Amino acid sequence: LKLADFGLSIDLGQERASTRAGTLAFMAPEVVMCPLKAAVDSRDGAAATEHSTAATEQDEDARGAAEAGPSALHGPGPCYSTLADMWTLGVLLFSVIVGAPPFWGSEQQLTAAITAPDPAAHVTWPDTRLSADARDLIQRCLKLSPGDRPTAAELLHHPLLAGHGEPPQPQAQQPLGQPTSQRL
């Protein structure tokens, strides 16, 4: 697994996450509610800082801030925390296991589904490719309120990730259709 493209990343210890950025189908509801940024800041030459804060402490700070509301993150208006990443993890897990994203459609349809009172109710859950543990983990990540989502530390104790749950059932491999193979 290779992680890349941190061009829009910020240090939540130094900045407040309040800009909508990314792919709509993967955005958490609180990110969707944030305004678009007019221009991307140049971060060339910015000094990198290291923080010795443990990831677990950051997760707990994020949960506290999410439960306290936007003012807890030093400013008015919509903002988000690392718990937005838990939403994105749920979308990514669903996409990898099922082979399609849980939310799809036009921009308006995506926004309506993602910001609905129960976003997981807008997901078509395939019975054949998703174990009960995988479905449970994804449903926990796809909660409307950030404070209702598990932290990264909590997810490590989920049966699917802790190694004593049902593994997801991979999608059966199918040959590429002629139009797809020609585009490749």
Side-chain angles (χ1 to χ4, degrees), residues 101-158:
F103 306 103
W104 52 274
S106 68
E107 184 175 337
Q108 292 172 331
Q109 291 168 324
L110 276 170
T111 301
I114 291 168
T115 59
D118 183 9
H122 293 268
V123 175
T124 302
W125 298 92
D127 293 331
T128 58
R129 293 184 221 151
L130 213 55
S131 70
D133 287 326
R135 182 176 175 151
D136 177 69
L137 188 143
I138 292 166
Q139 284 178 318
R140 289 174 188 256
C141 290
L142 297 182
K143 297 289 185 184
L144 179 66
S145 173
D148 292 340
R149 294 180 208 137
T151 64
E154 290 167 346
L155 278 183
L156 292 176
H157 299 289
H158 189 277

Side-chain angles (χ1 to χ4, degrees), residues 23-37:
T23 303
L24 181 59
F26 290 83
M27 283 185 200
E30 62 273 23
V31 178
V32 171
M33 303 310 292
C34 289
L36 289 169
K37 190 167 190 173

Side-chain angles (χ1 to χ4, degrees), residues 55-121:
T56 303
E57 290 173 356
Q58 290 174 345
D59 285 341
E60 290 307 316
D61 290 345
R63 179 181 301 287
E67 291 170 352
S71 62
L73 293 176
H74 315 297
C79 62
Y80 52 95
S81 69
T82 57
L83 292 171
D85 296 333
M86 298 304 100
W87 171 280
T88 303
L89 177 66
V91 173
L92 184 62
L93 285 172
F94 185 97
S95 299
V96 168
I97 295 168
V98 174
F103 306 103
W104 52 274
S106 68
E107 184 175 337
Q108 292 172 331
Q109 291 168 324
L110 276 170
T111 301
I114 291 168
T115 59
D118 183 9

